[in-house]
Amino acid sequence: MHGMEKVPSALTLAQHRSHDYRFLIRCWRELVEEAGLRMRILTRVGGMPVYGLESKSPDDGRPEIYISAGVHGDEVAGPWGLLEWARENGALLRERRFLLFPAMNPVGMILNTRMDHQGRDLNRSFHELEDELMVAWRKLMEGRKLAIGLCLHEDYDGQGCYLYELNKTRKTIGKAVLQDCAEVIAVDGRRSMDGSRSNEGLIAKRKIPVLPGLPEAIVLHELGAPVALTFETPSEFSLVDRVRAQKTFITSALKHACVL
Ligand SMILES: [Zn+2]
């Protein structure tokens, strides 16, 4: 695999650098050139830069693919899964237009906390129009047409993988995606997650739920992404498996949503 010589991923996990935000960013820096990505600082929060990566290639009229990770700092399989996926998909990254957020909550990642540098749940803050990070995020999102939005998360109560699906298209893809992910980590069999009814790991919403603060996926859906998926791996399972499941999720979601 390309890039293994410089920052071997197996070593990343073996050395327990899973909360090492600077190391994660260093790994991305080694990757961006070859993947045809531009790395920019959205803003600084708690003294730490938050990065957004976008394709350098000119707009070809096709909608962009959005993937974000690390909105909750203690859910580290997302950021490392996204990195691993990117390492293995350099050609695709160059071929299509992507918008990637490697770790949206750096202070939370470093401190191993769900909350951000202000002690708030970032995934209930995407409606905020005056917050520095949200203003920078919205500015970057302005005028973009999205094909799909993928939000990578974990759940410490999780007993397997599960998925929230917001989908305006005729064909839901959640079941097929979970089936692929189940080859790495079984589907969470609970009937209800956080008050939402789940059907074999799938929480599908036709109507946008009313919540006190807005999660990223809902705002992406409102901004025009016809499909917005929030994937959850169980935080108490092996980190190696969780990273693999996250990587599998990205590949499977892009395949089943037919956005490639
Ligand atoms: Zn989360």
Side-chain angles (χ1 to χ4, degrees), residues 13-71:
L13 302 175
Q15 288 184 331
H16 295 281
R17 298 188 75 166
S18 52
H19 290 275
D20 190 340
Y21 178 67
R22 287 186 182 87
F23 183 60
L24 176 79
I25 295 306
R26 218 175 83 206
C27 294
W28 274 105
R29 268 192 214 294
E30 294 191 2
L31 190 78
V32 286
E33 192 56 43
E34 206 196 312
L37 295 168
R38 179 184 299 124
M39 200 166 179
R40 62 158 87 172
I41 295 177
L42 277 187
T43 186
R44 283 175 195 275
V45 292
M48 300 303 293
V50 181
Y51 292 93
L53 290 87
E54 59 183 327
S55 300
K56 279 192 209 162
S57 56
D59 189 352
D60 58 3
R62 287 188 291 178
E64 292 178 76
I65 295 165
Y66 177 108
I67 314 173
S68 86
V71 162

Side-chain angles (χ1 to χ4, degrees), residues 61-240:
R62 287 188 291 178
E64 292 178 76
I65 295 165
Y66 177 108
I67 314 173
S68 86
V71 162
H72 293 137
D74 55 341
E75 301 172 7
V76 291
W80 296 106
L82 177 56
L83 175 73
E84 288 296 293
W85 174 84
R87 279 175 166 164
E88 292 174 17
N89 286 278
L92 176 61
L93 282 162
R94 274 193 311 280
E95 206 263 311
R96 280 298 308 267
R97 283 171 54 78
F98 282 84
L99 193 53
L100 308 176
F101 296 90
M104 291 272 268
N105 175 5
V107 174
M109 185 179 191
I110 292 162
L111 299 177
N112 193 11
T113 58
R114 175 182 177 87
M115 301 304 175
D116 74 353
H117 59 292
Q118 297 177 60
R120 73 181 169 168
D121 185 339
L122 197 54
N123 210 29
R124 295 289 180 274
S125 308
F126 277 78
H127 60 288
E128 286 182 19
L129 299 174
E130 283 172 18
D131 173 76
E132 206 182 339
L133 175 59
M134 288 303 129
V135 167
W137 181 82
R138 285 209 181 238
K139 201 170 160 212
L140 191 65
M141 298 301 292
E142 225 168 62
R144 289 180 195 265
K145 199 173 166 209
L146 300 180
I148 191 168
L150 305 181
C151 307
L152 311 180
H153 282 258
E154 298 205 88
D155 181 355
Y156 51 78
D157 288 325
Q159 297 172 11
C161 295
Y162 66 95
L163 180 62
Y164 293 88
E165 177 172 14
L166 290 166
N167 196 330
K168 280 182 193 152
T169 71
R170 282 204 196 140
K171 187 176 151 255
T172 70
I173 59 169
K175 283 259 180 271
V177 172
L178 278 170
Q179 217 164 47
D180 289 344
C181 298
E183 288 184 18
V184 186
I185 293 178
V187 168
D188 192 324
R190 288 176 297 159
R191 294 276 182 90
S192 144
M193 327 301 197
D194 272 338
S196 293
R197 189 184 290 267
S198 160
N199 181 8
E200 291 169 45
L202 180 62
I203 302 152
K205 307 248 190 226
R206 282 274 163 199
K207 266 200 248 159
I208 289 178
V210 180
L211 293 166
L214 289 184
E216 184 180 21
I218 290 183
V219 174
L220 290 174
H221 205 45
E222 286 178 348
L223 290 176
V227 181
L229 304 178
T230 304
F231 182 58
E232 307 266 354
T233 45
S235 317
E236 301 291 314
F237 283 37
S238 143
L239 179 58
V240 176

